[in-house]
Amino acid sequence: MRWVESGDVRLALFEEGDPDRPTIVLLHGYPDTHRVWDEVAALLRDRFHVVRYDVRGAGRSSAPRDRRAYDFDHLIADLGAVLDAVGKPRVHLVGHDWGSLQGWEAVAREGIRDRVASFTSLGGPGLRQMRHFLRHGRRRDVAAQRMRSWYIGAFLLPALPELAWGSVMPRIVTRTLLGEGVTPRPGHPAPTLAEDGRNGLWLYRRNMAATLGGPGLDPRVPDVPVQVIEATRDRFVTPALPTSFGRWVSGLWHRRLAAGHWAHRSRPDAVAGMIAEFAGHAEGARAGTALRRARVGGVR
């Protein structure tokens, strides 16, 4: 573990495996820390250089003094600082939940996407792509997704979500994990869960309205191979949403996995295998091998 400075925050960075091998960066979601990836990292570190970090306001990383500094500009700057510290020209980026939202934004931005050899998304849409889906998707599909995203409106309320994180929310997270067949273990949920939950509310408050309700940003991802792992039992994402991503991505792999939202905890072997396979194909493409295009894979 080492520290990386990014503006006024210190990011806790963790590395495993041979630095001379291709690098995979695992981005965690909300309200998790890098420890949610423990099982997957253990399965990848013999073949890859595995990098994880706690995002600002989570785990061992510090929180910004200004709570407004949870917007995508700051989050992508943090990712850039991590990539600078790792020192690789290109990495394979993998994100879950809010880590996935950050990954989608990263591959949409010039100056950062040329440092991404491939991107794997698990359990989190790109907000640029979601904006288009909410405005132009089929009415019943949009209604179904809005029902699954009800909690976002609750997180945007003042004060009440903070109170919930000091009382009932940690128990709700634990019950949700158990409902997916995921047993809590040391490191997940993190001992900092309540504080991480309160800090991470600002991810929603600073990015949701600005992206979903603001002027349309280009949703296309023309230059980065993207893999979407759709957890078919994810209670927060409808099947129609990841299916809509194909129009924005060249070289999309859309794969389905019989698992809930925390698929990387309940099915780490399958998730690690998909990540490794996709990264391997992307490495082959860079060496001159054509990256095959596969829109839909079977349920595993």
Side-chain angles (χ1 to χ4, degrees):
M1 177 260 182
R2 56 181 166 133
W3 298 105
V4 174
E5 305 290 333
S6 180
D8 69 339
V9 302
R10 299 181 75 203
L11 303 171
L13 173 65
F14 305 83
E15 297 179 76
E16 303 171 75
D18 185 349
D20 291 332
R21 293 183 179 273
T23 296
I24 290 178
V25 178
L26 302 173
L27 289 172
H28 70 81
Y30 172 84
D32 296 323
T33 70
H34 79 282
R35 293 292 306 276
V36 73
W37 287 109
D38 280 0
E39 291 86 355
V40 170
L43 293 167
L44 293 174
R45 64 191 176 200
D46 289 340
R47 291 171 287 170
F48 297 94
H49 174 223
V50 180
V51 174
R52 296 180 280 170
Y53 67 98
D54 290 336
V55 302
R56 57 177 51 214
R60 299 183 65 178
S61 293
S62 64
R65 290 186 293 270
D66 187 342
R67 292 180 298 183
R68 295 173 297 180
Y70 284 90
D71 57 19
F72 276 134
D73 287 345
H74 287 86
L75 296 170
I76 302 306
D78 291 348
L79 175 59
V82 167
L83 297 184
D84 289 343
V86 171
K88 292 291 191 71
R90 289 163 68 89
V91 303
H92 300 280
L93 190 62
V94 180
H96 171 251
D97 190 81
W98 262 97
S100 178
L101 269 65
Q102 292 179 61
W104 280 106
E105 186 65 22
V107 297
R109 295 194 176 203
E110 294 184 8
I112 192 80
R113 68 178 172 216
D114 58 355
R115 305 175 72 177
V116 179
S118 73
F119 170 51
T120 293
S121 167
L122 172 63
L127 290 190
R128 298 180 185 219
Q129 294 78 19
M130 187 172 181
R131 180 185 186 276
H132 190 277
F133 172 81
L134 294 177
R135 294 186 178 222
H136 303 288
R138 291 192 304 178
R139 186 173 301 176
R140 65 184 181 184
D141 292 337
V142 171
Q145 182 58 54
R146 288 189 182 278
M147 289 182 63
R148 294 204 190 188
S149 301
W150 65 268
Y151 61 92
I152 295 176
F155 286 168
L156 299 179
L157 294 173
L160 289 177
E162 280 85 352
L163 292 174
W165 274 111
S167 54
V168 300
M169 280 301 293
R171 293 195 296 274
I172 290 174
V173 170
T174 299
R175 285 202 301 268
T176 303
L177 289 169
L178 290 171
E180 293 192 4
V182 176
T183 302
R185 50 131 171 96
H188 187 248
T192 54
L193 176 63
E195 183 180 2
D196 297 344
R198 286 191 293 267
N199 289 337
L201 292 168
W202 290 91
L203 295 169
Y204 294 89
R205 293 167 178 172
R206 292 299 297 162
N207 295 293
M208 285 295 175
T211 306
L212 297 181
L217 298 172
D218 190 351
R220 293 173 297 176
V221 183
D223 301 322
V224 179
V226 175
Q227 171 177 228
V228 172
I229 301 176
E230 176 190 346
T232 59
R233 300 169 189 163
D234 193 328
R235 66 185 65 194
F236 305 114
V237 180
T238 62
L241 183 54
T243 299
S244 71
F245 297 159
R247 66 183 301 173
W248 308 119
V249 177
S250 59
L252 176 70
W253 287 28
H254 180 178
R255 311 176 82 171
R256 295 189 173 101
L257 179 64
H261 183 68
W262 280 276
H264 46 335
R265 285 290 324 276
S266 63
R267 300 286 305 278
D269 52 345
V271 171
M274 291 178 178
I275 292 170
E277 183 183 7
F278 189 60
H281 276 282
E283 288 292 315
R286 290 178 60 197
T289 302
L291 179 65
R292 68 181 175 87
R293 183 181 180 88
R295 284 194 173 274
V296 179
V299 177
R300 295 191 180 184

